[in-house]
Amino acid sequence: MLKPSLPRLLLLAGLLLPTLACADDTDTLLRQLRDAHGAEAWRRHGALIAQGREDADGFTGEWRMAVDLRNGHYAEHAKTPLFTRADGADAQGRWHQDITGLSHPYDSAEAAIVAANEDWLRRFAFLAADDRTGYRRLPDADANGHRYQRLEATPAGGRAITLWLDPATHRLDHATYASSFLLATEAFADYRDVDGVQLPFRITASAVTAGGGEDNGSTDIVQSYRWLERAPAEALARPDNTVRDVSMAGDARRTTVAMHLEGGFLLVDASIDGKGPMPFILDTGGHAILTTDAAKKLGLATQGAGVSTGSGPGSMEMAYARVGHLGMGGADIRDLAFLVMPYPHEFYERGEGREPIAGILGLEIFERFAVTFDYDKNQLVLQAYDRGDAPPAEHGERLPVTFTYDMPLVDASLDGKQGVFGIDTGNGGLTLLFPQWAARNGIAAHYEHGAPAPTGGVGGLFTAHFAHAQGLQLGTQKLDNVVAMLTRADAGATGNPTEAGNIGQDILSRFNVHFDYRRAEMVLLPRKPPVPAQYAMAGFRASKSAAQPDRYKVSWVLAGSPAAEAGLKAGDFIVAVNGKAAKSIGLGELRDAVMNLPEGTPLKLTLDGGKVLDMRLRDVAPR
């Protein structure tokens, strides 16, 4: 029922209102809810099998679900014309099979809380007389043009779920709860009698961010339900996770791929259906994505339609395309579904005569290979999970990783405060600090008074503030020169209230880093010689449009920065950087020239009227 992409937000509708009802009201409403659904008949059964169709992402396909009503174990599969995805929970925990065919656990502390809520709703656990759920009557409230009675239910191991009940029928109309960085909503309609139990034959799942961005939703149209005493073991089984779609040149298990940092983004070479190589960002928090421009140049037809959330308050439209072959070094991955997303010109343009960024690679790579980022040699090492087995383990400092969704998480400490941080090789900027965690740990004020800067991603731009941290510790590695950027609560995935922050290339590139998802670990390997952190910058933001590829338009200048002191203003046009024409410079190369450099690095900007601004970069982050 509740889909894997459903993450979190604060429960906006009514949870801050005072509770006006007494325990008798709670018991009465709960009894009415149970009677309306046929609780007595429900308790006679041990398992439920459902099948039908699912409408999601612009596709219609087969859908089936099996759930054990006693312990909440389940498996749910949805098959579209382009891909199959699945979710489930068993004695080992929650798992997710993504659209590229392989699976990984959802095993973080937050994932366990979300799973408890998912399981509770999926098996209609409000019908259980002996369930260890706490209930509380909430004031009636309006939503979607209707008036609803409301109960707050807190399942064992989960968090509060608001149940919105139809006062005419006393049946559950929809449920809402906080799930990572989104507000998850599950709506139930078209109730029918199934052996004495009222079950919904239409189930719609959706989610929004605090900034209003929508995540992909789905509607399951149930064609039949079956009651069983016990769910068949095969119906609840996890995917076997054997890698069957990878070929390696010469039957090797290891290959290398050229990589390099450009503007903080880690680019790797890959080919699509024999065309290329083309540069892709390799992102531990990402998925196989092609820009709309790249898909068009490759002649790929798109199918379906959906939306995706990410960094920033909003969301971005997307479609899907089938790629027959993805080539990386000596590896070939067959028959992958790619997202196709309309990233802006500044995201992929790299300057005249240079191949534009084609998109992003992510989870589908890390589920098929143990991956080493060797920054010393500027190469990526891929070691195949042959037959599902892991290659030999790397020797270094091992940090366990967990997942709430698709980004690896590690325990780390910032300013002496322990928290859970995303490890994001697609983060080409500063370490991100999330405001809810910073406030809970008493360190928000230092960053709130830091320097402002626009930042963002898929969900759009927002203003954050950055300052020097006291220090960051990863395992036993203590890093004393770190600048962190405080985001906003409405910044989508980069304002996640259940995590501390996000660690990107600023920190990761100080090590050689190995990811082994089968062993659930990240390994830090020393660089030789060590790489010093450098934060000197000019202090401005500029972008280039397709309509004016020969200039960068300045959109923001940091007060008191070298750029501001040299006279640069928002609205100015830059036509050359250090004597090189802007038309031949992509955004990554521009970033390399104006930030994360040694103190005193000279910078010369030529404006469209011929005026030349000379400056020397410096660290502008408050301490």
Side-chain angles (χ1 to χ4, degrees):
M1 295 179 189
L2 202 54
K3 293 300 169 286
S5 61
L6 297 181
R8 147 129 215 207
L9 202 211
L10 298 176
L11 297 182
L12 300 178
L15 292 192
L16 299 181
L17 295 174
T19 300
L20 304 178
C22 65
D24 287 344
D25 294 328
T26 299
D27 292 341
T28 298
L29 192 55
L30 182 58
R31 183 175 64 254
Q32 290 172 336
L33 171 65
R34 288 171 171 168
D35 289 345
H37 279 271
E40 287 299 324
W42 177 89
R43 293 169 194 156
R44 294 197 296 266
H45 305 293
L48 183 63
I49 306 293
Q51 64 180 23
R53 77 170 197 268
E54 180 171 280
D55 296 332
D57 303 332
F59 295 107
T60 295
E62 299 174 3
W63 170 85
R64 68 182 191 275
M65 180 189 69
V67 57
D68 187 315
L69 301 178
R70 307 305 183 213
N71 58 25
H73 295 171
Y74 75 95
E76 181 178 5
H77 300 260
K79 183 178 182 180
T80 77
L82 197 61
F83 53 79
T84 298
R85 59 184 164 215
D87 285 271
D90 55 23
Q92 286 72 51
R94 178 78 160 82
W95 56 266
H96 168 60
Q97 182 183 39
D98 64 271
I99 66 173
T100 60
L102 295 178
S103 66
H104 68 279
Y106 284 171
D107 54 358
S108 70
E110 170 65 10
I113 293 171
V114 173
N117 281 20
E118 291 174 338
D119 295 348
W120 190 88
L121 281 171
R122 185 173 282 100
R123 61 191 173 98
F124 308 108
F126 53 85
L127 301 180
D130 57 349
D131 188 50
R132 294 182 298 129
T133 301
Y135 292 94
R136 182 169 68 102
R137 176 73 186 269
L138 298 176
D140 295 352
D142 295 322
N144 307 317
H146 298 280
R147 188 74 172 174
Y148 294 97
Q149 298 172 315
R150 298 188 306 154
L151 274 175
E152 180 185 270
T154 305
R159 65 165 55 94
I161 303 172
T162 299
L163 306 179
W164 300 71
L165 312 181
D166 183 335
T169 64
H170 301 300
R171 291 196 294 255
L172 178 62
D173 182 87
H174 64 282
T176 55
Y177 66 90
S179 172
S180 187
F181 64 96
L182 299 175
L183 174 66
T185 299
E186 190 156 0
F188 307 90
D190 189 15
Y191 279 97
R192 305 179 199 175
D193 184 280
V194 182
D195 294 333
V197 182
Q198 290 289 318
L199 294 178
F201 277 67
R202 184 182 182 90
I203 305 163
T204 299
S206 60
V208 296
T209 70
E214 297 182 8
D215 205 45
N216 269 338
S218 63
T219 297
D220 298 326
I221 306 298
V222 181
Q223 295 169 339
S224 67
Y225 284 108
R226 283 191 299 133
W227 297 111
L228 298 174
E229 179 57 34
R230 186 181 302 277
E234 62 273 17
L236 298 176
R238 291 187 179 213
D240 68 9
N241 234 21
T242 300
V243 180
R244 297 183 175 90
D245 56 5
V246 172
S247 300
M248 301 286 280
D251 290 328
R253 291 194 63 184
R254 174 188 174 102
T255 188
T256 59
V257 183
M259 75 174 202
H260 70 282
L261 287 171
E262 187 174 295
F265 297 111
L266 191 136
L267 301 182
V268 298
D269 290 334
S271 64
I272 299 291
D273 292 337
K275 299 175 183 178
M278 295 171 279
F280 283 81
I281 295 172
L282 185 56
D283 181 0
T284 46
H287 296 267
I289 299 173
L290 287 167
T291 68
T292 301
D293 185 70
K296 192 175 299 183
K297 289 179 180 177
L298 289 164
L300 295 174
T302 59
Q303 305 175 49
V307 291
S308 177
T309 56
S311 174
S315 54
M316 184 181 287
E317 295 180 354
M318 67 181 191
Y320 296 88
R322 172 66 67 187
V323 168
H325 295 272
L326 169 66
M328 295 182 69
D332 178 74
I333 308 174
R334 300 179 299 279
D335 202 24
L336 288 177
F338 270 66
L339 308 180
V340 179
M341 300 179 67
Y343 281 97
H345 178 79
E346 66 172 331
F347 169 83
Y348 56 83
E349 194 266 350
R350 298 176 66 225
E352 188 177 62
R354 302 181 72 196
E355 189 73 28
I357 294 172
I360 295 172
L361 299 173
L363 183 64
E364 63 286 340
I365 304 300
F366 296 93
E367 285 185 336
R368 287 164 172 79
F369 304 93
V371 181
T372 305
F373 293 76
D374 190 332
Y375 296 94
D376 290 328
K377 296 180 180 177
N378 284 327
Q379 69 179 20
L380 190 76
V381 181
L382 304 179
Q383 299 181 80
Y385 289 134
D386 187 29
R387 300 177 304 279
D389 298 330
E394 284 285 347
H395 297 290
E397 179 159 6
R398 289 179 169 79
L399 302 180
V401 300
T402 60
F403 296 87
T404 296
Y405 293 104
D406 296 338
M407 182 180 292
L409 306 172
V410 302
D411 290 333
S413 64
L414 183 75
D415 295 347
K417 308 297 182 181
Q418 192 77 16
V420 176
F421 288 79
I423 298 296
D424 187 1
T425 61
N427 174 2
L430 301 172
T431 296
L432 299 180
L433 174 61
F434 299 158
Q436 302 91 329
W437 179 85
R440 291 195 299 268
N441 285 277
I443 62 173
H446 170 63
Y447 298 94
E448 288 170 347
H449 293 93
T455 188
V458 166
L461 292 177
F462 60 95
T463 299
H465 293 79
F466 63 94
H468 274 275
Q470 294 177 12
L472 174 70
Q473 184 164 343
L474 274 172
T476 63
Q477 307 296 319
K478 297 181 179 180
L479 307 172
D480 59 3
N481 188 13
V482 174
V483 174
M485 177 175 283
L486 183 71
T487 67
R488 295 191 335 203
D490 64 351
T494 49
N496 192 329
T498 69
E499 296 172 12
N502 179 290
I503 294 170
Q505 292 296 341
D506 166 49
I507 301 300
L508 298 176
S509 62
R510 301 189 197 186
F511 307 92
N512 292 318
V513 186
H514 178 77
F515 292 95
D516 189 337
Y517 282 17
R518 295 293 171 102
R519 289 187 174 86
E521 64 183 18
M522 175 179 78
V523 185
L524 300 179
L525 309 165
R527 291 193 64 178
K528 299 174 182 178
V531 177
Q534 300 168 143
Y535 291 107
M537 65 176 64
F540 71 92
R541 182 183 179 96
S543 60
K544 188 193 295 185
S545 70
Q548 292 184 299
D550 64 340
R551 62 196 59 211
Y552 279 92
K553 183 177 181 179
V554 178
S555 58
W556 166 83
V557 180
L558 176 63
S561 67
E565 292 172 354
L568 190 67
K569 301 182 298 295
D572 284 345
F573 288 94
I574 300 170
V575 296
V577 179
N578 291 330
K580 188 173 182 179
K583 67 180 179 180
S584 63
I585 299 174
L587 182 60
E589 190 174 351
L590 176 65
R591 284 165 56 99
D592 283 337
V594 303
M595 61 187 298
N596 297 336
L597 291 164
E599 290 276 351
T601 299
L603 175 67
K604 179 182 291 187
L605 303 178
T606 304
L607 305 185
D608 64 341
K611 184 177 181 180
V612 176
L613 304 181
D614 285 298
M615 64 198 77
R616 289 190 176 275
L617 309 189
R618 69 173 186 274
D619 186 345
V620 298
R623 294 182 180 272

